[in-house]
Amino acid sequence: MKSIKKRMAGRRDSLISFGIVILAYIVIQIMISTGNISSSLKGQLVPICAYIVMAVSLNLTVGFLGELSLGHAGFMSVGAFTGIVVTTSLAQAIPSAPLRLAIAMIIGGIFAAVAGVIVGVPVLRLKGDYLAIVTLAFGEIIKNIINVLYIGMDGKGLHFSLLEQRFALEDGGKMIINGPMGVSGVTKISSFTSGIILILITLFLILNLVHSRTGRAVMSVRDNRIAAESIGISATRYRLLAFVISAAFAGMAGTLYAMNFSTVTANKFDFNTSILVLVFVVLGGLGNIWGSIIAAALLTVLPELLRGLNDYRMLIYAILLIVMMIFNNSGLKTHLLEKRAARRAGDPQKKTELSDKEEV
């Protein structure tokens, strides 16, 4: 009976999440059509969607798995540059931009997942600070590899080399990735609609994963690995699964993000980006999907909204960060969450009082 109630509560949360995202999309579309949104804020809609997907996916690793990863931007960069290569290669074969973007995001997610397997197999043997240091190193390694990567395309297909350009392109050929200069002349095909669709897909898959048997196994490994293994749960398998799924969604977010800019360099996916996404997760609350969404959207938009207060903009931003951090670690939040859980499950004390009255 309890398991059925938990499933129903999980489905209700999912439906509420989808409803709020769709409602936000409708409101913003109305604001765009009526001209009640600034051009700078309009240009941030796609990056906000990408950051939300990044935050939700990282929360799967940090919040539900309990492992600190500082290389999430590395997976994002793998998806970003893979998506650019795919969309450029398919430009003639697939004229439809939304379809081309969808294929690019899927392939970008697959490549990021492969990178997650390559990194996760040795890295997840470590714990705590050691795992964080190695994932941080992975992100920097990916950035440096892209800085020495040269990919071009002509009538003979794709050409690539490392360290320096060792190939010559035919007439009409095009350089896609040009080493430290990155990519220029990208056709921007990302849209706010595609970003919302990706958010909905991410929420659907991750919320279902969290409320499934696999999700409970992942959280049991987080809470007590020895106890989980004693009842037959493979800690290595479930840790790697959560890590790879998180990397795959980061790669898809990277493709969405990259296809919103005409120029993309590896420096856009450095250590600071990983820390920024981690801030979204920590301030939103570990294991709190909705907290990650709100924190990612608010902290991305907030600097732009405060631009009119030039002298106090960063001060207000810092104060809000501190207030959010204090609230997340306060007893007030714990009390509110306990009250909410009691309301959902039904207060046993009230049930006892009602039963006593009925007996009288």
Side-chain angles (χ1 to χ4, degrees), residues 162-233:
L162 289 172
L163 299 180
E164 61 181 17
Q165 184 177 343
R166 296 191 179 92
F167 55 84
L169 296 176
E170 297 179 343
D171 292 338
K174 180 181 180 182
M175 283 296 298
I176 302 176
I177 301 178
N178 194 12
M181 297 177 64
V183 183
S184 59
V186 178
T187 303
K188 295 189 285 186
I189 59 176
S190 292
S191 64
F192 181 50
T193 301
S194 60
I196 290 294
I197 292 173
L198 181 59
I199 290 175
L200 291 174
I201 293 172
T202 304
L203 286 175
F204 176 79
L205 294 177
I206 289 187
L207 286 174
N208 277 280
L209 174 66
V210 168
H211 292 107
S212 69
R213 182 178 180 181
T214 301
R216 292 191 292 272
V218 169
M219 288 183 280
S220 69
V221 171
R222 174 199 64 190
D223 295 335
N224 194 321
R225 178 172 178 169
I226 296 175
E229 289 180 334
S230 68
I231 60 173
I233 294 175

Side-chain angles (χ1 to χ4, degrees), residues 23-33 37 45 192 196:
L23 179 62
Y25 171 72
I26 294 172
V27 170
I28 292 175
Q29 288 287 36
I30 292 173
M31 292 175 64
I32 292 173
S33 61
I37 188 171
L45 292 177
F192 181 50
I196 290 294

Side-chain angles (χ1 to χ4, degrees), residues 264-293:
V264 182
T265 61
N267 292 329
K268 284 191 175 183
F269 310 98
D270 58 2
F271 168 68
N272 293 324
T273 303
S274 294
I275 294 298
L276 179 64
V277 178
L278 183 62
V279 167
F280 297 154
V281 174
V282 173
L283 292 181
L286 299 179
N288 187 347
I289 297 296
W290 259 111
S292 298
I293 294 173

Side-chain angles (χ1 to χ4, degrees), residues 139-156:
E140 294 300 307
I141 288 170
I142 290 295
K143 184 183 76 171
N144 290 323
I145 290 176
I146 294 174
N147 277 329
V148 296
L149 179 64
Y150 295 84
I151 297 180
M153 184 183 68
D154 58 15
K156 296 181 180 178

Side-chain angles (χ1 to χ4, degrees), residues 7-284:
R7 289 179 184 176
M8 293 299 293
R11 289 179 181 175
R12 183 178 61 190
D13 288 344
S14 299
L15 290 175
I16 292 173
S17 301
F18 298 147
I20 293 175
V21 171
I22 293 171
L23 179 62
Y25 171 72
I26 294 172
V27 170
I28 292 175
Q29 288 287 36
I30 292 173
M31 292 175 64
I32 292 173
S33 61
T34 56
N36 291 321
I37 188 171
S38 64
S39 57
S40 59
L41 189 58
K42 185 178 177 181
Q44 286 188 318
L45 292 177
V46 172
I48 287 172
C49 293
Y51 282 135
I52 287 174
V53 175
M54 288 284 291
V56 172
S57 63
L58 184 60
N59 210 341
L60 183 62
T61 300
V62 178
F64 294 100
L65 182 59
E67 300 292 351
L68 180 60
S69 174
L70 296 179
H72 217 51
F75 300 122
M76 188 181 186
S77 65
V78 171
F81 287 95
T82 301
I84 290 172
V85 173
V86 171
T87 53
T88 305
S89 303
L90 297 178
Q92 299 295 329
I94 304 177
S96 174
L99 179 59
R100 200 160 70 246
L101 178 63
I103 294 173
M105 285 196 290
I106 293 172
I107 297 176
I110 292 172
F111 272 75
V114 171
V117 173
I118 295 172
V119 175
V121 169
V123 164
L124 291 177
R125 299 175 183 272
L126 305 173
K127 296 179 181 179
D129 297 339
Y130 297 104
L131 187 143
I133 292 170
V134 174
T135 53
L136 169 62
F138 160 73
E140 294 300 307
I141 288 170
I142 290 295
K143 184 183 76 171
N144 290 323
I145 290 176
I146 294 174
N147 277 329
V148 296
L149 179 64
Y150 295 84
I151 297 180
M153 184 183 68
D154 58 15
K156 296 181 180 178
L158 290 173
H159 307 269
F160 70 93
S161 64
L162 289 172
L163 299 180
E164 61 181 17
Q165 184 177 343
R166 296 191 179 92
F167 55 84
L169 296 176
E170 297 179 343
D171 292 338
K174 180 181 180 182
M175 283 296 298
I176 302 176
I177 301 178
N178 194 12
M181 297 177 64
V183 183
S184 59
V186 178
T187 303
K188 295 189 285 186
I189 59 176
S190 292
S191 64
F192 181 50
T193 301
S194 60
I196 290 294
I197 292 173
L198 181 59
I199 290 175
L200 291 174
I201 293 172
T202 304
L203 286 175
F204 176 79
L205 294 177
I206 289 187
L207 286 174
N208 277 280
L209 174 66
V210 168
H211 292 107
S212 69
R213 182 178 180 181
T214 301
R216 292 191 292 272
V218 169
M219 288 183 280
S220 69
V221 171
R222 174 199 64 190
D223 295 335
N224 194 321
R225 178 172 178 169
I226 296 175
E229 289 180 334
S230 68
I231 60 173
I233 294 175
S234 174
T236 302
R237 174 189 170 190
Y238 285 106
R239 292 175 77 194
L240 184 61
L241 177 65
F243 192 77
V244 170
I245 291 174
S246 177
F249 281 110
M252 297 174 74
T255 301
L256 177 72
Y257 183 86
M259 301 311 299
N260 186 57
F261 299 96
S262 58
T263 302
V264 182
T265 61
N267 292 329
K268 284 191 175 183
F269 310 98
D270 58 2
F271 168 68
N272 293 324
T273 303
S274 294
I275 294 298
L276 179 64
V277 178
L278 183 62
V279 167
F280 297 154
V281 174
V282 173
L283 292 181

